[in-house]
Amino acid sequence: FTIATPFCSGCVDALVETSEAVAGVTRAAVDLDGPALAVTFDDARTSPAAVRAHVERETRFRLTLTRVARATR
């Protein structure tokens, strides 16, 4: 996701914690240079739309989905 809302480095923890609170999310990380949020999730349990909705509902951040990459098994 691209993070459309301005933020500071102190907001990184909130983005990660809020994303990882979604059932099925196994990892979240913020790239400050993007700024972007990368989320690893089990697509049998959640979706990018669900992650985005949760983050936007629980925080002031606005996200734009930029890419979905399927993990190889």
Side-chain angles (χ1 to χ4, degrees):
F1 297 95
T2 299
I3 304 166
T5 310
F7 71 101
C8 65
S9 60
C11 300
V12 170
D13 290 340
L15 273 169
V16 170
E17 289 173 10
T18 303
S19 300
E20 290 179 343
V22 176
V25 171
T26 56
R27 182 177 179 276
V30 173
D31 173 3
L32 294 176
D33 292 330
L37 171 67
V39 178
T40 303
F41 63 94
D42 176 351
D43 61 1
R45 298 184 64 206
T46 194
S47 68
V51 173
R52 178 183 178 192
H54 180 79
V55 170
E56 290 187 347
R57 182 177 58 250
E58 298 297 322
T59 71
R60 65 177 181 83
F61 301 105
R62 296 295 166 250
L63 306 176
T64 302
L65 181 64
T66 53
R67 183 172 70 104
V68 176
R70 300 282 180 218
T72 56
R73 294 180 186 204

Short mmCIF file of all heavy atoms in Angstrom, two decimals:
data_model
loop_
_atom_site.label_atom_id
_atom_site.label_comp_id
_atom_site.label_asym_id
_atom_site.label_seq_id
_atom_site.Cartn_x
_atom_site.Cartn_y
_atom_site.Cartn_z
N PHE A 1 0.84 -1.18 0.00
CA PHE A 1 0.00 0.00 0.00
C PHE A 1 0.88 1.23 0.00
O PHE A 1 1.90 1.27 0.70
CB PHE A 1 -0.86 0.05 1.27
CG PHE A 1 -1.84 -1.07 1.43
CD1 PHE A 1 -1.53 -2.19 2.16
CD2 PHE A 1 -3.08 -0.99 0.83
CE1 PHE A 1 -2.43 -3.21 2.33
CE2 PHE A 1 -3.99 -2.01 0.99
CZ PHE A 1 -3.68 -3.12 1.74
N THR A 2 0.48 2.26 -0.71
CA THR A 2 1.09 3.57 -0.58
C THR A 2 0.35 4.29 0.53
O THR A 2 -0.88 4.22 0.61
CB THR A 2 0.96 4.37 -1.89
OG1 THR A 2 1.63 3.66 -2.93
CG2 THR A 2 1.58 5.75 -1.75
N ILE A 3 1.08 4.98 1.37
CA ILE A 3 0.47 5.73 2.47
C ILE A 3 0.24 7.14 1.98
O ILE A 3 1.18 7.89 1.73
CB ILE A 3 1.39 5.71 3.71
CG1 ILE A 3 1.70 4.27 4.10
CG2 ILE A 3 0.73 6.47 4.85
CD1 ILE A 3 2.84 4.14 5.10
N ALA A 4 -1.03 7.50 1.80
CA ALA A 4 -1.38 8.79 1.21
C ALA A 4 -1.42 9.92 2.24
O ALA A 4 -1.32 11.08 1.88
CB ALA A 4 -2.73 8.68 0.51
N THR A 5 -1.55 9.58 3.49
CA THR A 5 -1.66 10.58 4.54
C THR A 5 -0.27 10.92 5.06
O THR A 5 0.52 10.02 5.31
CB THR A 5 -2.51 10.01 5.70
OG1 THR A 5 -3.71 9.49 5.17
CG2 THR A 5 -2.83 11.07 6.73
N PRO A 6 0.05 12.19 5.23
CA PRO A 6 1.34 12.55 5.80
C PRO A 6 1.50 11.94 7.19
O PRO A 6 0.53 11.82 7.94
CB PRO A 6 1.28 14.07 5.90
CG PRO A 6 0.22 14.49 4.96
CD PRO A 6 -0.76 13.37 4.91
N PHE A 7 2.71 11.52 7.52
CA PHE A 7 2.96 10.94 8.82
C PHE A 7 4.42 11.12 9.20
O PHE A 7 5.24 11.47 8.38
CB PHE A 7 2.57 9.45 8.85
CG PHE A 7 3.50 8.57 8.07
CD1 PHE A 7 4.45 7.82 8.71
CD2 PHE A 7 3.41 8.48 6.69
CE1 PHE A 7 5.31 7.00 8.00
CE2 PHE A 7 4.25 7.67 5.97
CZ PHE A 7 5.21 6.93 6.62
N CYS A 8 4.70 10.84 10.47
CA CYS A 8 6.08 10.94 10.95
C CYS A 8 6.57 9.54 11.30
O CYS A 8 5.80 8.59 11.35
CB CYS A 8 6.14 11.85 12.17
SG CYS A 8 5.25 11.19 13.59
N SER A 9 7.84 9.43 11.57
CA SER A 9 8.40 8.12 11.88
C SER A 9 7.81 7.54 13.16
O SER A 9 7.79 6.33 13.33
CB SER A 9 9.92 8.19 11.96
OG SER A 9 10.31 9.09 12.98
N GLY A 10 7.30 8.39 14.04
CA GLY A 10 6.65 7.90 15.26
C GLY A 10 5.34 7.18 15.00
O GLY A 10 4.85 6.45 15.86
N CYS A 11 4.77 7.35 13.82
CA CYS A 11 3.51 6.70 13.46
C CYS A 11 3.71 5.29 12.92
O CYS A 11 2.75 4.55 12.74
CB CYS A 11 2.78 7.53 12.42
SG CYS A 11 2.38 9.20 12.96
N VAL A 12 4.94 4.91 12.66
CA VAL A 12 5.24 3.60 12.08
C VAL A 12 4.69 2.49 12.96
O VAL A 12 4.03 1.56 12.47
CB VAL A 12 6.75 3.43 11.86
CG1 VAL A 12 7.11 2.01 11.50
CG2 VAL A 12 7.22 4.40 10.78
N ASP A 13 4.92 2.56 14.26
CA ASP A 13 4.44 1.52 15.17
C ASP A 13 2.93 1.36 15.09
O ASP A 13 2.41 0.24 15.08
CB ASP A 13 4.86 1.80 16.61
CG ASP A 13 6.35 1.62 16.83
OD1 ASP A 13 7.00 0.93 16.01
OD2 ASP A 13 6.86 2.17 17.82
N ALA A 14 2.21 2.47 15.03
CA ALA A 14 0.75 2.41 14.95
C ALA A 14 0.29 1.71 13.68
O ALA A 14 -0.63 0.89 13.70
CB ALA A 14 0.14 3.80 15.04
N LEU A 15 0.93 2.03 12.56
CA LEU A 15 0.57 1.38 11.30
C LEU A 15 0.83 -0.12 11.34
O LEU A 15 -0.01 -0.92 10.93
CB LEU A 15 1.36 1.99 10.14
CG LEU A 15 0.77 3.21 9.49
CD1 LEU A 15 1.78 3.86 8.56
CD2 LEU A 15 -0.48 2.84 8.71
N VAL A 16 1.99 -0.49 11.86
CA VAL A 16 2.35 -1.91 11.92
C VAL A 16 1.41 -2.65 12.88
O VAL A 16 0.85 -3.69 12.53
CB VAL A 16 3.83 -2.09 12.34
CG1 VAL A 16 4.15 -3.54 12.66
CG2 VAL A 16 4.74 -1.57 11.24
N GLU A 17 1.22 -2.13 14.07
CA GLU A 17 0.36 -2.79 15.06
C GLU A 17 -1.08 -2.91 14.57
O GLU A 17 -1.71 -3.95 14.76
CB GLU A 17 0.41 -2.04 16.39
CG GLU A 17 1.74 -2.19 17.09
CD GLU A 17 1.86 -1.30 18.33
OE1 GLU A 17 0.85 -0.72 18.77
OE2 GLU A 17 2.98 -1.19 18.86
N THR A 18 -1.60 -1.87 13.95
CA THR A 18 -2.97 -1.91 13.46
C THR A 18 -3.11 -2.92 12.34
O THR A 18 -4.09 -3.68 12.29
CB THR A 18 -3.41 -0.51 12.99
OG1 THR A 18 -3.27 0.41 14.08
CG2 THR A 18 -4.85 -0.51 12.53
N SER A 19 -2.14 -2.98 11.45
CA SER A 19 -2.18 -3.94 10.35
C SER A 19 -2.09 -5.37 10.87
O SER A 19 -2.84 -6.25 10.44
CB SER A 19 -1.04 -3.69 9.37
OG SER A 19 -1.13 -2.41 8.82
N GLU A 20 -1.18 -5.59 11.81
CA GLU A 20 -0.98 -6.94 12.34
C GLU A 20 -2.13 -7.40 13.24
O GLU A 20 -2.24 -8.58 13.54
CB GLU A 20 0.35 -7.03 13.06
CG GLU A 20 1.53 -6.96 12.10
CD GLU A 20 2.89 -7.03 12.76
OE1 GLU A 20 2.98 -6.81 14.00
OE2 GLU A 20 3.87 -7.29 12.03
N ALA A 21 -3.03 -6.49 13.62
CA ALA A 21 -4.20 -6.87 14.40
C ALA A 21 -5.26 -7.56 13.55
O ALA A 21 -6.18 -8.17 14.08
CB ALA A 21 -4.79 -5.63 15.09
N VAL A 22 -5.15 -7.46 12.24
CA VAL A 22 -6.11 -8.10 11.34
C VAL A 22 -5.83 -9.60 11.32
O VAL A 22 -4.69 -10.02 11.08
CB VAL A 22 -6.01 -7.52 9.90
CG1 VAL A 22 -6.94 -8.25 8.96
CG2 VAL A 22 -6.29 -6.02 9.92
N ALA A 23 -6.85 -10.40 11.58
CA ALA A 23 -6.70 -11.86 11.54
C ALA A 23 -6.20 -12.28 10.16
O ALA A 23 -6.77 -11.87 9.15
CB ALA A 23 -8.01 -12.54 11.86
N GLY A 24 -5.13 -13.04 10.14
CA GLY A 24 -4.57 -13.49 8.87
C GLY A 24 -3.33 -12.74 8.44
O GLY A 24 -2.59 -13.19 7.59
N VAL A 25 -3.09 -11.56 9.03
CA VAL A 25 -1.87 -10.81 8.72
C VAL A 25 -0.74 -11.39 9.57
O VAL A 25 -0.86 -11.51 10.78
CB VAL A 25 -2.03 -9.30 9.00
CG1 VAL A 25 -0.70 -8.57 8.89
CG2 VAL A 25 -3.04 -8.70 8.03
N THR A 26 0.35 -11.77 8.91
CA THR A 26 1.48 -12.36 9.63
C THR A 26 2.63 -11.39 9.81
O THR A 26 3.48 -11.59 10.67
CB THR A 26 1.98 -13.62 8.90
OG1 THR A 26 2.32 -13.28 7.55
CG2 THR A 26 0.92 -14.70 8.89
N ARG A 27 2.68 -10.34 9.00
CA ARG A 27 3.77 -9.37 9.10
C ARG A 27 3.37 -8.08 8.42
O ARG A 27 2.72 -8.09 7.38
CB ARG A 27 5.01 -9.93 8.42
CG ARG A 27 6.22 -9.03 8.52
CD ARG A 27 7.46 -9.68 7.89
NE ARG A 27 8.60 -8.80 7.97
CZ ARG A 27 8.88 -7.84 7.10
NH1 ARG A 27 8.09 -7.63 6.07
NH2 ARG A 27 9.95 -7.09 7.26
N ALA A 28 3.79 -6.97 9.01
CA ALA A 28 3.61 -5.66 8.39
C ALA A 28 4.88 -4.86 8.60
O ALA A 28 5.53 -4.97 9.64
CB ALA A 28 2.42 -4.93 9.00
N ALA A 29 5.25 -4.06 7.61
CA ALA A 29 6.45 -3.24 7.70
C ALA A 29 6.23 -1.95 6.93
O ALA A 29 5.54 -1.94 5.91
CB ALA A 29 7.66 -3.98 7.14
N VAL A 30 6.81 -0.86 7.42
CA VAL A 30 6.69 0.44 6.77
C VAL A 30 8.03 0.82 6.15
O VAL A 30 9.08 0.69 6.79
CB VAL A 30 6.24 1.51 7.77
CG1 VAL A 30 6.27 2.90 7.15
CG2 VAL A 30 4.84 1.20 8.29
N ASP A 31 7.99 1.29 4.92
CA ASP A 31 9.15 1.85 4.23
C ASP A 31 8.95 3.36 4.21
O ASP A 31 8.06 3.87 3.53
CB ASP A 31 9.22 1.30 2.80
CG ASP A 31 10.30 1.95 1.96
OD1 ASP A 31 11.05 2.80 2.48
OD2 ASP A 31 10.38 1.62 0.77
N LEU A 32 9.76 4.07 4.98
CA LEU A 32 9.60 5.53 5.10
C LEU A 32 9.92 6.25 3.80
O LEU A 32 9.45 7.37 3.58
CB LEU A 32 10.47 6.07 6.23
CG LEU A 32 10.08 5.60 7.63
CD1 LEU A 32 11.09 6.12 8.65
CD2 LEU A 32 8.68 6.07 7.98
N ASP A 33 10.72 5.66 2.94
CA ASP A 33 11.08 6.32 1.69
C ASP A 33 9.92 6.32 0.69
O ASP A 33 9.87 7.17 -0.19
CB ASP A 33 12.30 5.64 1.05
CG ASP A 33 13.56 5.87 1.87
OD1 ASP A 33 13.65 6.92 2.53
OD2 ASP A 33 14.42 4.98 1.87
N GLY A 34 9.02 5.37 0.82
CA GLY A 34 7.89 5.23 -0.13
C GLY A 34 6.94 6.40 -0.13
O GLY A 34 6.74 7.01 -1.15
N PRO A 35 6.31 6.78 0.91
CA PRO A 35 6.13 5.90 2.05
C PRO A 35 5.17 4.77 1.68
O PRO A 35 4.21 4.99 0.94
CB PRO A 35 5.54 6.81 3.12
CG PRO A 35 4.81 7.87 2.36
CD PRO A 35 5.58 8.04 1.07
N ALA A 36 5.46 3.58 2.17
CA ALA A 36 4.66 2.43 1.81
C ALA A 36 4.53 1.47 2.99
O ALA A 36 5.40 1.42 3.86
CB ALA A 36 5.28 1.70 0.63
N LEU A 37 3.45 0.72 2.98
CA LEU A 37 3.18 -0.31 3.97
C LEU A 37 3.14 -1.64 3.25
O LEU A 37 2.35 -1.81 2.31
CB LEU A 37 1.83 -0.04 4.65
CG LEU A 37 1.29 -1.13 5.57
CD1 LEU A 37 2.17 -1.27 6.81
CD2 LEU A 37 -0.15 -0.79 5.97
N ALA A 38 3.99 -2.57 3.65
CA ALA A 38 4.00 -3.92 3.07
C ALA A 38 3.38 -4.86 4.09
O ALA A 38 3.75 -4.84 5.27
CB ALA A 38 5.42 -4.35 2.75
N VAL A 39 2.42 -5.66 3.64
CA VAL A 39 1.70 -6.58 4.53
C VAL A 39 1.78 -7.98 3.96
O VAL A 39 1.50 -8.19 2.78
CB VAL A 39 0.23 -6.14 4.67
CG1 VAL A 39 -0.54 -7.11 5.56
CG2 VAL A 39 0.14 -4.73 5.23
N THR A 40 2.16 -8.93 4.81
CA THR A 40 2.14 -10.34 4.44
C THR A 40 0.93 -10.96 5.11
O THR A 40 0.72 -10.77 6.32
CB THR A 40 3.43 -11.05 4.92
OG1 THR A 40 4.56 -10.36 4.37
CG2 THR A 40 3.45 -12.50 4.50
N PHE A 41 0.12 -11.67 4.33
CA PHE A 41 -1.13 -12.19 4.90
C PHE A 41 -1.50 -13.52 4.26
O PHE A 41 -1.03 -13.88 3.19
CB PHE A 41 -2.26 -11.19 4.70
CG PHE A 41 -2.59 -10.92 3.25
CD1 PHE A 41 -3.60 -11.62 2.61
CD2 PHE A 41 -1.90 -9.97 2.53
CE1 PHE A 41 -3.90 -11.38 1.28
CE2 PHE A 41 -2.18 -9.73 1.20
CZ PHE A 41 -3.19 -10.43 0.58
N ASP A 42 -2.36 -14.24 4.96
CA ASP A 42 -2.92 -15.50 4.49
C ASP A 42 -4.20 -15.14 3.74
O ASP A 42 -5.18 -14.70 4.35
CB ASP A 42 -3.22 -16.39 5.69
CG ASP A 42 -3.89 -17.70 5.34
OD1 ASP A 42 -4.30 -17.89 4.17
OD2 ASP A 42 -4.02 -18.54 6.24
N ASP A 43 -4.20 -15.32 2.41
CA ASP A 43 -5.37 -14.89 1.64
C ASP A 43 -6.59 -15.78 1.84
O ASP A 43 -7.67 -15.46 1.35
CB ASP A 43 -5.04 -14.70 0.15
CG ASP A 43 -4.55 -15.95 -0.53
OD1 ASP A 43 -4.48 -17.00 0.10
OD2 ASP A 43 -4.24 -15.85 -1.73
N ALA A 44 -6.46 -16.84 2.60
CA ALA A 44 -7.63 -17.64 2.98
C ALA A 44 -8.33 -17.01 4.18
O ALA A 44 -9.49 -17.34 4.47
CB ALA A 44 -7.22 -19.07 3.31
N ARG A 45 -7.64 -16.09 4.87
CA ARG A 45 -8.19 -15.49 6.09
C ARG A 45 -8.50 -14.01 5.97
O ARG A 45 -9.31 -13.48 6.75
CB ARG A 45 -7.24 -15.71 7.25
CG ARG A 45 -7.04 -17.19 7.56
CD ARG A 45 -6.17 -17.42 8.75
NE ARG A 45 -6.82 -16.88 9.95
CZ ARG A 45 -6.15 -16.48 11.02
NH1 ARG A 45 -4.85 -16.54 11.06
NH2 ARG A 45 -6.80 -16.00 12.06
N THR A 46 -7.86 -13.29 5.04
CA THR A 46 -8.10 -11.86 4.89
C THR A 46 -7.77 -11.44 3.47
O THR A 46 -7.40 -12.26 2.63
CB THR A 46 -7.32 -11.03 5.93
OG1 THR A 46 -7.85 -9.70 5.95
CG2 THR A 46 -5.83 -11.02 5.66
N SER A 47 -7.91 -10.17 3.19
CA SER A 47 -7.66 -9.63 1.85
C SER A 47 -7.06 -8.23 1.97
O SER A 47 -7.16 -7.60 3.02
CB SER A 47 -8.97 -9.54 1.08
OG SER A 47 -9.81 -8.54 1.67
N PRO A 48 -6.47 -7.75 0.88
CA PRO A 48 -5.97 -6.37 0.92
C PRO A 48 -7.07 -5.37 1.26
O PRO A 48 -6.84 -4.42 2.02
CB PRO A 48 -5.43 -6.15 -0.50
CG PRO A 48 -5.03 -7.51 -0.94
CD PRO A 48 -6.09 -8.42 -0.36
N ALA A 49 -8.26 -5.59 0.74
CA ALA A 49 -9.38 -4.67 1.03
C ALA A 49 -9.72 -4.66 2.51
O ALA A 49 -10.00 -3.61 3.09
CB ALA A 49 -10.60 -5.05 0.20
N ALA A 50 -9.68 -5.83 3.15
CA ALA A 50 -9.98 -5.90 4.58
C ALA A 50 -8.90 -5.22 5.41
O ALA A 50 -9.21 -4.53 6.39
CB ALA A 50 -10.14 -7.36 5.00
N VAL A 51 -7.65 -5.40 5.02
CA VAL A 51 -6.54 -4.74 5.74
C VAL A 51 -6.68 -3.23 5.60
O VAL A 51 -6.61 -2.49 6.59
CB VAL A 51 -5.17 -5.22 5.22
CG1 VAL A 51 -4.04 -4.41 5.85
CG2 VAL A 51 -4.98 -6.71 5.48
N ARG A 52 -6.89 -2.78 4.39
CA ARG A 52 -7.04 -1.33 4.16
C ARG A 52 -8.20 -0.76 4.97
O ARG A 52 -8.07 0.26 5.63
CB ARG A 52 -7.27 -1.07 2.67
CG ARG A 52 -7.49 0.38 2.37
CD ARG A 52 -7.77 0.60 0.90
NE ARG A 52 -8.03 2.00 0.65
CZ ARG A 52 -8.53 2.45 -0.46
NH1 ARG A 52 -8.80 1.65 -1.46
NH2 ARG A 52 -8.74 3.75 -0.61
N ALA A 53 -9.35 -1.42 4.93
CA ALA A 53 -10.52 -0.93 5.67
C ALA A 53 -10.24 -0.86 7.16
O ALA A 53 -10.61 0.12 7.82
CB ALA A 53 -11.72 -1.83 5.38
N HIS A 54 -9.59 -1.86 7.71
CA HIS A 54 -9.28 -1.87 9.14
C HIS A 54 -8.33 -0.73 9.50
O HIS A 54 -8.58 0.00 10.47
CB HIS A 54 -8.68 -3.22 9.54
CG HIS A 54 -8.34 -3.30 10.99
ND1 HIS A 54 -9.29 -3.52 11.96
CD2 HIS A 54 -7.15 -3.15 11.63
CE1 HIS A 54 -8.70 -3.51 13.15
NE2 HIS A 54 -7.39 -3.29 12.97
N VAL A 55 -7.25 -0.58 8.74
CA VAL A 55 -6.28 0.48 9.04
C VAL A 55 -6.94 1.85 8.93
O VAL A 55 -6.77 2.70 9.81
CB VAL A 55 -5.05 0.38 8.11
CG1 VAL A 55 -4.16 1.62 8.24
CG2 VAL A 55 -4.25 -0.88 8.42
N GLU A 56 -7.72 2.07 7.89
CA GLU A 56 -8.35 3.38 7.71
C GLU A 56 -9.41 3.65 8.77
O GLU A 56 -9.60 4.79 9.18
CB GLU A 56 -8.92 3.51 6.30
CG GLU A 56 -7.82 3.61 5.27
CD GLU A 56 -8.32 3.88 3.87
OE1 GLU A 56 -9.53 3.77 3.60
OE2 GLU A 56 -7.46 4.21 3.02
N ARG A 57 -10.09 2.60 9.24
CA ARG A 57 -11.12 2.77 10.27
C ARG A 57 -10.48 3.06 11.64
O ARG A 57 -10.98 3.87 12.41
CB ARG A 57 -11.99 1.52 10.34
CG ARG A 57 -13.13 1.59 11.35
CD ARG A 57 -14.02 0.36 11.33
NE ARG A 57 -13.27 -0.87 11.59
CZ ARG A 57 -13.02 -1.82 10.69
NH1 ARG A 57 -13.46 -1.70 9.45
NH2 ARG A 57 -12.34 -2.90 11.02
N GLU A 58 -9.35 2.41 11.93
CA GLU A 58 -8.74 2.50 13.25
C GLU A 58 -7.70 3.61 13.40
O GLU A 58 -7.29 3.91 14.52
CB GLU A 58 -8.09 1.16 13.61
CG GLU A 58 -9.07 0.00 13.68
CD GLU A 58 -10.11 0.18 14.78
OE1 GLU A 58 -9.77 0.68 15.87
OE2 GLU A 58 -11.28 -0.18 14.54
N THR A 59 -7.26 4.20 12.29
CA THR A 59 -6.23 5.24 12.34
C THR A 59 -6.65 6.41 11.45
O THR A 59 -7.67 6.36 10.78
CB THR A 59 -4.86 4.72 11.85
OG1 THR A 59 -4.91 4.50 10.44
CG2 THR A 59 -4.45 3.44 12.57
N ARG A 60 -5.80 7.40 11.37
CA ARG A 60 -6.05 8.54 10.48
C ARG A 60 -5.42 8.34 9.10
O ARG A 60 -5.52 9.18 8.23
CB ARG A 60 -5.51 9.83 11.09
CG ARG A 60 -4.02 9.84 11.24
CD ARG A 60 -3.51 11.17 11.79
NE ARG A 60 -2.07 11.16 11.91
CZ ARG A 60 -1.23 11.41 10.92
NH1 ARG A 60 -1.68 11.68 9.72
NH2 ARG A 60 0.08 11.39 11.12
N PHE A 61 -4.75 7.22 8.90
CA PHE A 61 -4.03 6.98 7.65
C PHE A 61 -4.95 6.58 6.51
O PHE A 61 -5.94 5.90 6.71
CB PHE A 61 -2.96 5.90 7.85
CG PHE A 61 -1.97 6.26 8.90
CD1 PHE A 61 -2.00 5.67 10.14
CD2 PHE A 61 -1.02 7.24 8.66
CE1 PHE A 61 -1.09 6.03 11.13
CE2 PHE A 61 -0.11 7.61 9.63
CZ PHE A 61 -0.15 7.00 10.87
N ARG A 62 -4.58 7.02 5.30
CA ARG A 62 -5.29 6.64 4.09
C ARG A 62 -4.32 5.88 3.21
O ARG A 62 -3.20 6.33 2.97
CB ARG A 62 -5.82 7.88 3.34
CG ARG A 62 -6.85 8.63 4.15
CD ARG A 62 -8.11 7.78 4.38
NE ARG A 62 -8.97 8.31 5.40
CZ ARG A 62 -9.16 7.76 6.61
NH1 ARG A 62 -8.51 6.68 6.96
NH2 ARG A 62 -9.97 8.28 7.47
N LEU A 63 -4.75 4.70 2.75
CA LEU A 63 -3.88 3.81 1.98
C LEU A 63 -4.41 3.63 0.57
O LEU A 63 -5.61 3.65 0.34
CB LEU A 63 -3.82 2.44 2.65
CG LEU A 63 -3.41 2.39 4.11
CD1 LEU A 63 -3.49 0.96 4.64
CD2 LEU A 63 -2.02 2.95 4.30
N THR A 64 -3.49 3.42 -0.35
CA THR A 64 -3.83 3.09 -1.73
C THR A 64 -3.12 1.79 -2.08
O THR A 64 -1.89 1.69 -1.92
CB THR A 64 -3.35 4.20 -2.69
OG1 THR A 64 -3.96 5.43 -2.30
CG2 THR A 64 -3.72 3.87 -4.13
N LEU A 65 -3.87 0.80 -2.51
CA LEU A 65 -3.27 -0.47 -2.89
C LEU A 65 -2.46 -0.27 -4.15
O LEU A 65 -2.95 0.25 -5.15
CB LEU A 65 -4.36 -1.52 -3.13
CG LEU A 65 -3.85 -2.91 -3.51
CD1 LEU A 65 -3.04 -3.52 -2.37
CD2 LEU A 65 -5.02 -3.80 -3.87
N THR A 66 -1.19 -0.66 -4.10
CA THR A 66 -0.33 -0.49 -5.26
C THR A 66 0.06 -1.79 -5.92
O THR A 66 0.31 -1.84 -7.11
CB THR A 66 0.95 0.29 -4.89
OG1 THR A 66 1.57 -0.34 -3.78
CG2 THR A 66 0.63 1.72 -4.53
N ARG A 67 0.13 -2.88 -5.12
CA ARG A 67 0.57 -4.14 -5.71
C ARG A 67 0.23 -5.28 -4.77
O ARG A 67 0.32 -5.15 -3.55
CB ARG A 67 2.08 -4.09 -5.91
CG ARG A 67 2.67 -5.30 -6.57
CD ARG A 67 4.14 -5.07 -6.89
NE ARG A 67 4.97 -5.04 -5.72
CZ ARG A 67 5.77 -6.04 -5.35
NH1 ARG A 67 5.87 -7.11 -6.08
NH2 ARG A 67 6.51 -5.93 -4.28
N VAL A 68 -0.15 -6.42 -5.33
CA VAL A 68 -0.33 -7.65 -4.58
C VAL A 68 0.59 -8.68 -5.21
O VAL A 68 0.53 -8.91 -6.41
CB VAL A 68 -1.78 -8.16 -4.63
CG1 VAL A 68 -1.91 -9.50 -3.93
CG2 VAL A 68 -2.73 -7.13 -4.01
N ALA A 69 1.46 -9.25 -4.40
CA ALA A 69 2.38 -10.29 -4.89
C ALA A 69 2.06 -11.59 -4.17
O ALA A 69 1.94 -11.62 -2.95
CB ALA A 69 3.82 -9.87 -4.61
N ARG A 70 1.89 -12.63 -4.93
CA ARG A 70 1.63 -13.95 -4.35
C ARG A 70 2.93 -14.60 -3.94
O ARG A 70 3.90 -14.59 -4.69
CB ARG A 70 0.93 -14.85 -5.37
CG ARG A 70 -0.38 -14.30 -5.84
CD ARG A 70 -1.46 -14.54 -4.80
NE ARG A 70 -2.71 -14.00 -5.31
CZ ARG A 70 -3.58 -13.38 -4.55
NH1 ARG A 70 -3.35 -13.24 -3.27
NH2 ARG A 70 -4.68 -12.92 -5.04
N ALA A 71 2.93 -15.15 -2.75
CA ALA A 71 4.12 -15.85 -2.26
C ALA A 71 4.22 -17.20 -2.97
O ALA A 71 3.20 -17.83 -3.27
CB ALA A 71 4.01 -16.07 -0.77
N THR A 72 5.42 -17.62 -3.24
CA THR A 72 5.61 -18.94 -3.81
C THR A 72 5.77 -19.93 -2.69
O THR A 72 6.32 -19.61 -1.64
CB THR A 72 6.86 -18.97 -4.72
OG1 THR A 72 7.98 -18.55 -3.95
CG2 THR A 72 6.68 -18.06 -5.92
N ARG A 73 5.24 -21.12 -2.89
CA ARG A 73 5.30 -22.12 -1.83
C ARG A 73 6.16 -23.25 -2.21
O ARG A 73 6.40 -23.62 -3.26
CB ARG A 73 3.90 -22.62 -1.51
CG ARG A 73 3.08 -21.51 -0.92
CD ARG A 73 1.70 -21.99 -0.60
NE ARG A 73 0.93 -20.82 -0.18
CZ ARG A 73 -0.10 -20.89 0.57
NH1 ARG A 73 -0.53 -22.03 1.01
NH2 ARG A 73 -0.75 -19.82 0.90
#
